[in-house]
Amino acid sequence: MKEKVEVVLNKIRPSLQADGGDVELVDVDKVSGIVKVRLTGACGGCPFATMTLKNGIEEALKEEIPEVKEVQQV
């Protein structure tokens, strides 16, 4: 599942990088379906980081990988 998550994150990454940020995969728990990521660069301190995480990253991951239940920022 970790490889699938990386593939989806690589699709999202260019839009984050265009705004001066990025996303880093920290952990994938196959049992709970929780994916942990770290937003870096401009995304790390952005006031819209939660929206990016939930409405962008989490939504994209859930759409392509049904096993993903939640994305958490660490």
Side-chain angles (χ1 to χ4, degrees), residues 1 6 10 13-14 19-20 28-30 39 41-43 45 47 50 60-61 63-64 67 69 71:
M1 185 161 117
E6 283 285 7
N10 285 334
R13 190 166 272 122
D19 290 330
V28 176
D29 186 330
K30 288 191 251 184
L39 295 174
C43 292
T50 302
L61 285 169
E63 187 175 302
E64 295 210 27
E67 302 88 37
K69 303 299 178 211
V71 176

Side-chain angles (χ1 to χ4, degrees), residues 5-71:
V5 170
E6 283 285 7
V7 168
V8 177
L9 290 179
N10 285 334
K11 292 179 185 177
I12 299 166
R13 190 166 272 122
S15 27
L16 295 173
Q17 290 173 338
D19 290 330
D22 207 343
V23 63
E24 174 186 323
L25 180 61
V26 176
D27 188 41
V28 176
D29 186 330
K30 288 191 251 184
V31 176
S32 66
I34 294 176
V35 174
K36 294 183 180 180
V37 299
R38 180 176 297 116
L39 295 174
T40 61
C43 292
C46 175
F48 297 107
T50 302
M51 272 182 37
T52 299
L53 186 72
K54 293 297 178 182
N55 297 339
I57 298 170
E58 183 174 271
E59 195 172 292
L61 285 169
K62 284 179 169 181
E63 187 175 302
E64 295 210 27
I65 310 166
E67 302 88 37
V68 172
K69 303 299 178 211
E70 183 182 1
V71 176

